[in-house]
Amino acid sequence: QVNSWWSNLSEGQRTVTGIIAANVFVLCLWRLPGMRRIMFTYFTSDPSSKALCSPMLLSTFSHFSLFHMAANMYVLWSFSSSIVSLLGCEQFMAVYLSAGVISTFVSYVAKMVTGRFEPSLGASGAIMTVLAAVCTKMPEAKLAIIFLPMFTFTAGNALKAIIAFDTAGLALGWRLFDHAAHLGGALFGMWYVTYGHELIWKNREPLVKAWHEMRTKNSGKGGG
């Protein structure tokens, strides 16, 4: 049954399964009292913390609330097939991990400017990159909110609304979300699918081809 379920998944869904599993594992670590100090130090991003670099990536996989994690992972799962079909597995993973670091860096800058040194965590910044990339490449695609499936809107309009909301939140000092991280992730996603793929990924095409050839040879040996 597990094999059947796995075989019916799209390539994108299989790719994000590992990301979801990592988020679930980190959520479990938050429930261990002896891990609290380590989790706050390395799995939350705060420019006033003694650890600055590693949390930029690790906080992308960190959620304290089950609802927060479930909401983020649902959005990632929903867009997984589209983003992997656009970028491929390797490029998607590179973009996703980079998006986590870049969105956290933008959050750092905003916190330094405003003087609000509050810890942040969650995959929202990286997921905003995924959402913005898909909406930029497929602006006419129809989207709907899970709780209001009867109302549909285009991906292009959804992206504009999200950017407007986070811009207003950042300007007005709202603290419901890390609006700076959301904006950083969204702008990175828009830039990457418009220019970044040509400037960055295509220069690494020989490396990716060598990786695929090596992987193909290894799978062939296993089959023999």
Side-chain angles (χ1 to χ4, degrees):
Q1 289 178 341
V2 172
N3 285 334
S4 176
W5 169 79
W6 182 259
S7 299
N8 290 328
L9 296 180
S10 69
E11 186 179 18
Q13 289 170 334
R14 292 178 197 163
T15 302
V16 302
T17 298
I19 296 175
I20 295 173
N23 280 267
V24 171
F25 176 72
V26 174
L27 180 70
C28 292
L29 292 180
W30 275 107
R31 300 299 182 266
L32 301 177
M35 291 291 294
R36 283 296 177 87
R37 181 174 295 181
I38 294 175
M39 300 305 291
F40 274 110
T41 301
Y42 295 102
F43 286 84
T44 63
S45 59
D46 185 349
S48 64
S49 172
K50 66 178 182 179
L52 291 176
C53 295
S54 53
M56 294 174 74
L57 178 62
L58 295 178
S59 64
T60 305
F61 296 89
S62 179
H63 299 82
F64 186 76
S65 162
L66 177 61
F67 178 79
H68 185 200
M69 185 199 73
N72 278 342
M73 294 303 101
Y74 175 80
V75 175
L76 179 61
W77 182 269
S78 301
F79 283 87
S80 60
S81 298
S82 298
I83 191 65
V84 172
S85 67
L86 283 173
L87 303 179
C89 295
E90 293 85 0
Q91 187 175 189
F92 160 70
M93 287 303 300
V95 169
Y96 186 84
L97 296 176
S98 300
V101 174
I102 291 170
S103 61
T104 304
F105 178 75
V106 174
S107 175
Y108 277 180
V109 173
K111 289 173 181 176
M112 293 293 292
V113 170
T114 59
R116 294 175 178 172
F117 301 108
E118 301 171 339
S120 301
L121 73 170
S124 303
I127 292 173
M128 280 297 299
T129 294
V130 173
L131 190 150
V134 173
C135 291
T136 301
K137 293 296 286 186
M138 306 175 182
E140 298 304 319
K142 293 295 183 180
L143 303 178
I145 300 174
I146 183 173
F147 301 113
L148 301 170
M150 68 291 296
F151 297 107
T152 61
F153 39 86
T154 65
N157 287 336
L159 181 59
K160 292 174 185 175
I162 290 171
I163 290 177
F165 173 76
D166 283 316
T167 301
L170 182 61
L172 298 175
W174 297 345
R175 299 189 180 187
L176 184 60
F177 304 107
D178 191 338
H179 296 285
H182 288 187
L183 275 177
L187 294 176
F188 174 62
M190 295 167 63
W191 173 84
Y192 188 85
V193 295
T194 307
Y195 305 106
H197 173 75
E198 297 290 330
L199 295 174
I200 299 173
W201 192 257
K202 285 209 168 181
N203 292 330
R204 285 148 180 78
E205 193 169 348
L207 180 63
V208 177
K209 283 184 177 179
W211 161 251
H212 277 290
E213 289 174 1
M214 182 179 68
R215 195 169 63 174
T216 303
K217 288 178 181 178
N218 288 336
S219 62
K221 289 179 181 178

